[in-house]
Amino acid sequence: MFSWFGKVSFVPYSKVSDFAVHLKDGRLMGSRCKKCGYQTIPPRADCPQCMSGEFEFVEHSGKGTLYTWTRIDAAPTGFDDEVPYTLAVVDMEGSGRLVGWFGETITQEQIKIGMPVQIVPQIFDEDEDIKVYYSVEQPGTTWGKAPAPHLG
Amino acid sequence: MDLGLQGKGAIVTGGSLGIGSAVALELAKEGCNVAVNYRRHDTEAKQVVAEIEKLGGKGLAVKADVSSYDDAQKMVQDVVDRFGRLDIMVCNAGITWDGVIWKMSEKQWDQVIAVNLKGYFNYNKAAALVFKDQKYGKIVNISSINGMRGKFGQSNYAASKGGEIAMSKSLARELGRFNVNVNVVAPGMVLTDMMAAIPPEFQNKAMAETVVGRFATPEDCAHLVAFLCSDLSRHITGDVIKIDGGQYI
Amino acid sequence: MSRVGVIGIGHGKFGRRSDATVQELAFEAFRFAMEDAGIDRKELGATVIAAVPEYHKQRSVAGVVQEYLNLNPLPTWLTEVACASGSAAIRTAWMAIKSGLHPVVAVIGCQKMTELSTPEILALMGRVGEVQWESVFGTTFPGYYAMFATRHMHEFGTTREQLLQVAIKNHHYGAKNPNALFQKEITLEKALASDPVASPFCVYDCCANADGAAVLILAEESRAKQLRKDGKIVWLDGVGCATASMSVLRRPNLVGLPSAQEASQQAYRMAEVKPKQIKVAEVHDCFTIAELMAYEDLGFCEKGQGGKFIEEKRAYIGGDVAVNVDGGLKSKGHPIGATGVSMAHEIVKQLRGESGERQVPEADVGLTHNVGGIGQYTFVHVFRRD
């Protein structure tokens, strides 16, 4: 259900659609190639290293470092009610980079390139449809993860 | 079936008597720590706590008027602090105060709505805050088949019980994405103290309505509630399950 | 191997052209180019058309332009690589001529932007990054370049004032260009006070959407010498092109465009010139930081020194290399399909000595640097006047 991901979704289907399902449950997932072990986030189904299409999801700690950022004042269609919002580009622990929104725990004044940050899974809780995203927060921020069900 | 409720934290409102106490004990049997609240019956509430603890769980009894919003928020916080966690909220406390509408006083109406309907809001809301954050929770609101049909002399009770059903459906929608189930159990006539207030001819009428020729025991209701508090029923939400022996089909 | 020369150039007025359709805009510029070249339509072998289709209600823009210019049944096709479409069309024409298939080719860059509203354009342009992982957070085109600027400021101490000096220069020259959208100078005070767009950018850091068209007519060397009697032929001696990842998530750094560095090295090698020989350049100033990074990527100055370069007026006429002295995207406006051709138009004019009060003295080697999106594609062309 990749269409759950983001304030406005442009991609309804993907081989890594379950990324959004895991995000809803509070888990940020990267991918690992089953053949050569190449790991990255965001997850990808096709390995750039060995060309294999066999991958598995691997939970990422969400820890990263701020690489750059910008505060958007002029919004594109669909984001008019969110403006202004601040975008972050975060270099993730291990390999990979994510684009996300700064969350409640970091004020504009506290933003510094190079600062450690924590990516936190979020749900747009006032939207009737299920919509998920992640925010960029202070290190040490905690959040709930749906436990595995007890099925007798 | 292993319901998998070992170590979970539960609150049952109106847990000193009847359906409430049966639910509290059933959950305790399944391994839960259970807190009950009660309005008047101190002795009975203490008795329930003693039995919970005999079954190996932590027990707690809180005297509270369920129609108080602040008391509800506080009780939920206390339980989370004492038990370390809250996973289950069963709302059961309720009263009747029957009468035909042309004789029904404002107080008669307000009181039943406040205890039954607002009471469920107070506790559902407090629990929702906890469940939403932890991405897990089971809410069971005990309503009645008399919230699904209109009985003579029960406009206030019917409104409150019907309201509980619609409210639960709304909450199921809001909380589903957070891995929280919200369901309603709707009993018919149950063998409890509340029944004593019902005149014999009405009891007979009710018996005639059942197709099984008996009334529910509080334990019958508790079994259903326990099932709805487990992950085995994880795909049931926003539902109303009658437990009325066929009284209202 | 014979060279490829420019024998005709044409340029229409850029701006909010609600008076014309895309094909009517194309015709304006085409008419000027044909008059400038002094040739008959039957000399043309093919056209290559540059436009970005998503902004038009008309489907298959190339076909409708070819028809309106009365060029059926000549071959034509569209090239599209976002804002670099114009240069891509020029490269395609160069390849067609070099292959021997079409000795004379007209390149028509034409674009309407204003058929869409500003938020629609922002949303559409924002999707030039990676739609799956980035656009869902409301990235915008200025937002992407702003992230480059934020990082450049962090790594090299570049300031907002230095960035705005780029806009001030380009408006200074655009004020003298009758085809530009904005023909007014601006001050630093006015710029700093303008509305924020995406930090650190305000309105004056960003180019404006515009409608417009420009045309170039190219020919194989011997044909060019036959057709252009006055001998004022400008040679396209170096073509370079490179790509980089769509997603900013997979760039090695966000303080320069690797595709621009690579493309310029190819073009310099082919034309056998060094950066300091470039006298006049048209670079892709969609945002102030883009021009600043271009000075560095093209080798006009060291990495990180772009701020100093503009501050010391080394990009003005009289400096190391005159950059964007027709106003650049900032002052002309940016009709994305036409921009690359507009850049070539100015360089050709400069190398012919026809730029009037904006003439760069003794301009003999010039360069265009045309970037698509956030550097997903860069085309660098080196022109020479013998």
Side-chain angles (χ1 to χ4, degrees), chain C residues 22-28 30-31 41 47 49 63-72 106 108 215:
Chain C
V22 66
Q23 62 267 39
E24 287 166 347
L25 292 177
F27 204 108
E28 268 175 22
F30 181 67
R31 181 190 288 118
R41 256 184 305 203
T47 65
I49 296 178
V64 88
V65 169
Q66 190 79 331
E67 176 193 358
Y68 194 70
L69 269 43
N70 207 5
L71 295 173
N72 298 129
I108 300 159
V215 171

Side-chain angles (χ1 to χ4, degrees), chain B residues 5-157:
Chain B
L5 296 179
Q6 188 65 39
K8 295 216 177 322
I11 293 178
V12 182
T13 70
S16 62
L17 306 166
I19 299 173
S21 64
V23 170
L25 293 175
E26 186 66 33
L27 291 176
K29 263 193 230 145
E30 291 295 328
C32 291
N33 299 320
V34 188
V36 298
N37 79 355
Y38 65 98
R39 187 167 47 111
R40 283 179 298 141
H41 296 95
D42 302 53
T43 326
E44 287 80 349
K46 286 206 183 73
Q47 180 70 20
V48 170
V49 171
E51 291 188 39
I52 290 168
E53 286 171 353
K54 241 200 291 196
L55 288 162
K58 292 197 199 126
L60 177 66
V62 174
K63 187 182 171 90
D65 175 1
V66 296
S67 63
S68 160
Y69 176 84
D70 292 332
D71 282 0
Q73 313 309 307
K74 188 168 177 306
M75 179 184 179
V76 167
Q77 192 51 56
D78 284 348
V79 169
V80 171
D81 291 341
R82 296 263 228 129
F83 290 172
R85 57 189 293 180
L86 180 69
D87 308 274
I88 292 167
M89 170 63 78
V90 179
C91 282
N92 162 76
I95 57 168
T96 54
W97 194 348
D98 296 355
V100 288
I101 190 167
W102 53 90
K103 288 193 180 152
M104 186 175 281
S105 70
E106 190 180 347
K107 183 155 186 233
Q108 204 171 344
W109 174 271
D110 285 345
Q111 182 79 327
V112 170
I113 301 291
V115 172
N116 295 5
L117 185 55
K118 175 126 192 239
Y120 280 28
F121 159 71
N122 291 339
Y123 285 84
N124 275 209
K125 185 216 164 127
L129 287 168
V130 174
F131 294 169
K132 171 180 182 281
D133 268 345
Q134 70 191 14
K135 297 205 173 70
Y136 183 85
K138 308 283 183 194
I139 296 178
V140 179
N141 292 323
I142 315 277
S143 174
S144 161
I145 54 172
N146 291 343
M148 300 166 78
R149 64 180 181 178
K151 290 286 294 190
F152 188 90
Q154 282 202 326
S155 57
N156 52 0
Y157 187 75

Side-chain angles (χ1 to χ4, degrees), chain C residues 230-249:
Chain C
D230 67 4
K232 275 183 165 184
I233 302 169
V234 173
W235 303 104
L236 178 49
D237 277 350
V239 301
C241 176
T243 57
S245 65
M246 282 305 280
S247 168
V248 294
L249 302 182

Side-chain angles (χ1 to χ4, degrees), chain A residues 91-150:
Chain A
D91 279 336
M92 301 301 289
E93 201 173 59
S95 126
R97 218 182 234 171
L98 291 178
V99 167
W101 279 338
F102 279 103
E104 311 273 299
T105 62
I106 301 183
T107 63
Q108 181 95 18
E109 295 68 44
Q110 293 172 317
I111 298 175
K112 263 191 186 39
I113 289 181
M115 68 188 286
V117 292
Q118 175 68 51
I119 302 283
V120 174
Q122 303 278 4
I123 298 180
F124 283 101
D125 49 15
E126 282 179 49
D127 228 286
E128 231 191 284
D129 299 325
I130 298 179
K131 283 239 256 278
V132 298
Y133 68 107
Y134 46 75
S135 61
V136 179
E137 309 281 357
Q138 294 283 4
T141 306
T142 57
W143 68 94
K145 295 188 194 188
H150 238 120

Side-chain angles (χ1 to χ4, degrees), chain C residues 148-209:
Chain C
F148 276 76
T150 303
R151 185 76 199 186
H152 204 276
M153 289 162 83
H154 169 81
E155 275 190 46
F156 305 116
T158 305
T159 65
R160 277 197 69 201
E161 288 76 8
Q162 284 169 336
L163 291 175
L164 287 167
Q165 288 296 335
V166 171
I168 289 168
K169 167 178 72 71
N170 293 351
H171 272 269
H172 170 73
Y173 289 116
K176 306 179 199 187
N177 181 353
N179 281 328
L181 162 59
F182 298 122
Q183 294 174 32
K184 259 177 77 171
E185 305 226 18
I186 60 171
T187 63
L188 185 61
E189 292 68 43
K190 191 154 185 239
L192 284 168
S194 64
D195 287 338
V197 170
S199 65
F201 293 159
C202 57
V203 169
Y204 280 82
D205 286 287
C206 312
C207 70
N209 300 314

Side-chain angles (χ1 to χ4, degrees), chain A residues 2 5-8 10 14 19 42 67-77 79 85 87 89 97 99 101 113 134, chain C residues 119-120 122-123 127 131-133 135-138 140 143 146-147 150-151 154 196-199 248-249 251 253-254:
Chain A
F2 204 78
F5 180 57
K7 169 111 181 125
V8 176
F10 300 100
S14 163
F19 171 85
Y67 183 78
T68 185
W69 62 279
T70 185
R71 188 183 113 128
I72 302 287
D73 285 286
T77 311
F79 291 85
Y85 49 91
L87 294 172
V89 176
R97 218 182 234 171
V99 167
W101 279 338
I113 289 181
Y134 46 75
Chain C
E120 283 173 323
L122 267 173
R127 303 214 294 270
V131 159
Q132 187 172 9
W133 300 106
S135 308
V136 294
F137 286 99
T140 61
M147 294 200 262
T150 303
R151 185 76 199 186
H154 169 81
V197 170
S199 65
V248 294
L249 302 182
R251 296 282 180 88
N253 65 63
L254 296 182

